[in-house]
Amino acid sequence: MIITVTPNISLDKALIVEGSFEIGKTHRVKDITFVPGGKGVNASRALLGLGYKAPVLGFLGGNAGKQVKSIFEEEGIICDPVWINGETRTCYNIVDTINKTQTEVLERGPAITREDIDLLKDKISKYLSRDTIVCMGGSLPLGAPIELYAELVELVKSKGGRVILDTSGKALKKGLDACPFAVKPNKAEAEAILNIKLDPNDEEYKNIKEALDRFSSKGIKLSMISMGKDGLFASYEGKYYRVTPPEDSNPVNAVGSGDSTVAGIALGLEQNLKIEEVLRLGAAMGTANVRTLKPGDVRKSDVEDILPKVEVTVI
């Protein structure tokens, strides 16, 4: 079973502006979408596109929270939230289709309490078994201890489950100490936490291997660093991999691609695929995400088209 945990769920609004987007200018919106957002949320949506229902767990509150829950029901995504005081955050993605840019403006969201956290842990526990894979990540809500992900990783591990952790900064540092099964920071996040410069065009991949080794030294089985259009680097059982997806000629919206990659990794692990195929599926789902406006809106037909084009090489 796969579940996703997103402590700081949001209501995401993608605004498609007329003409080119310029700072300090007035813009009219020609199209808009409303979707629940957050790393785990996008992963659950991506999995649904392949016919797999992964429940979303996290915190919701206020009218925005009610709207999020309603949209989940319309989408067919299972949501089992902890209801809290305060208003679920709203995040904005301003999409310029002419210059192919996205500008994100993110609210911080409501504060949570220790009681809220304990209720979330109780909910997570109900889904856990030795076969459970938990996609966990995103920013932490106000009031959450910086060790929250470490605490949740320990909970999952105590029941025999596996965590794929995808967060950044201090939350990632603390989460690493709990030794999740897998991590997948992006290039900027990995550089920040490790204080190292990563160059995907370095033929020897020296710094990238060093970065992966530093994650693996924590006891992490599957260490990954996503590089956007340059693909994904990973280490598993002493081998290093470069995963290169095909370049999409007509990208629509890249938001959610990393989360869709995590969804593919989780699905490959759940299906007990070989590690090369796990990585291939992750990259295919991440690439399929850029073809649609909604984050995590992965279509099975796109994944099937992309999958054989993904290159997985040992480096």
Side-chain angles (χ1 to χ4, degrees):
M1 182 180 191
I2 303 172
I3 67 171
T4 69
V5 177
T6 309
N8 211 7
I9 294 173
S10 62
L11 176 62
D12 286 0
K13 297 183 179 182
L15 312 176
I16 315 301
V17 297
E18 293 181 347
S20 299
F21 177 70
E22 298 180 56
I23 299 295
K25 300 291 185 179
T26 299
H27 299 277
R28 296 189 182 277
V29 176
K30 66 178 181 180
D31 195 12
I32 184 170
T33 62
F34 297 76
V35 293
K39 286 187 176 296
V41 171
N42 294 336
S44 285
R45 183 176 297 114
L47 287 165
L48 186 64
L50 269 71
Y52 192 104
K53 291 195 174 185
V56 172
L57 281 73
F59 302 111
L60 290 178
N63 290 326
K66 292 176 182 177
Q67 186 175 3
V68 165
K69 185 68 162 60
S70 177
I71 297 172
F72 274 136
E73 292 172 356
E74 293 173 4
E75 289 185 291
I77 294 175
I78 300 167
C79 180
D80 190 4
V82 172
W83 289 97
I84 62 173
N85 293 324
E87 191 78 16
T88 291
R89 63 184 182 139
T90 300
C91 297
Y92 305 87
N93 179 27
I94 304 167
V95 181
D96 178 339
T97 58
I98 293 177
N99 294 314
K100 307 295 183 184
T101 63
Q102 294 102 37
T103 304
E104 294 185 88
V105 181
L106 315 176
E107 292 181 359
R108 294 191 67 183
I112 62 170
T113 65
R114 185 69 239 182
E115 182 181 1
D116 296 329
I117 292 171
D118 290 340
L119 289 173
L120 178 61
K121 290 176 71 174
D122 287 343
K123 280 188 179 289
I124 293 172
S125 294
K126 294 176 183 177
Y127 290 89
L128 296 179
S129 71
R130 188 161 297 278
D131 297 323
T132 307
I133 297 172
V134 184
C135 302
M136 186 184 299
S139 62
L140 294 176
L142 294 173
I146 202 66
E147 301 87 2
L148 179 58
Y149 281 128
E151 191 175 334
L152 297 180
V153 169
E154 292 287 5
L155 171 65
V156 175
K157 288 172 59 180
S158 72
K159 304 291 185 178
R162 292 178 286 177
V163 172
I164 304 173
L165 181 62
D166 188 8
T167 185
S168 60
K170 293 180 180 179
L172 176 57
K173 282 187 177 181
K174 292 293 184 180
L176 291 173
D177 291 337
C179 190
F181 178 84
V183 293
K184 192 213 65 64
N186 62 31
K187 178 176 179 289
E189 292 164 347
E191 288 179 332
I193 194 174
L194 300 175
N195 192 27
I196 191 171
K197 187 68 176 177
L198 303 177
D199 182 5
N201 296 314
D202 174 11
E203 292 183 359
E204 295 184 356
Y205 308 112
K206 182 178 178 181
N207 284 358
I208 290 174
K209 288 180 178 180
E210 178 185 344
L212 292 170
D213 285 345
R214 288 170 67 178
F215 290 134
S216 299
S217 69
K218 296 281 189 179
I220 294 163
K221 298 290 186 182
L222 176 57
S223 300
M224 299 172 284
I225 301 173
S226 59
M227 298 281 182
K229 63 182 178 61
D230 289 316
L232 179 79
F233 289 88
S235 65
Y236 184 76
E237 294 187 343
K239 290 185 178 180
Y240 303 97
Y241 299 87
R242 179 166 191 174
V243 186
T244 308
E247 184 175 353
D248 200 288
S249 60
N250 188 31
V252 176
N253 185 7
V255 176
S257 290
D259 312 325
S260 299
T261 297
V262 168
I265 298 295
L267 186 57
L269 292 171
E270 198 268 347
Q271 294 177 342
N272 293 314
L273 300 180
K274 293 181 178 180
I275 190 60
E276 292 86 352
E277 299 311 311
V278 169
L279 297 171
R280 192 186 311 278
L281 181 57
M285 289 184 66
T287 305
N289 175 82
V290 307
R291 295 185 178 184
T292 61
L293 178 60
K294 186 190 300 184
D297 187 16
V298 172
R299 296 176 297 217
K300 186 177 180 180
S301 59
D302 287 336
V303 174
E304 291 173 342
D305 172 54
I306 296 166
L307 199 60
K309 304 173 185 175
V310 176
E311 296 181 7
V312 181
T313 56
V314 176
I315 57 174

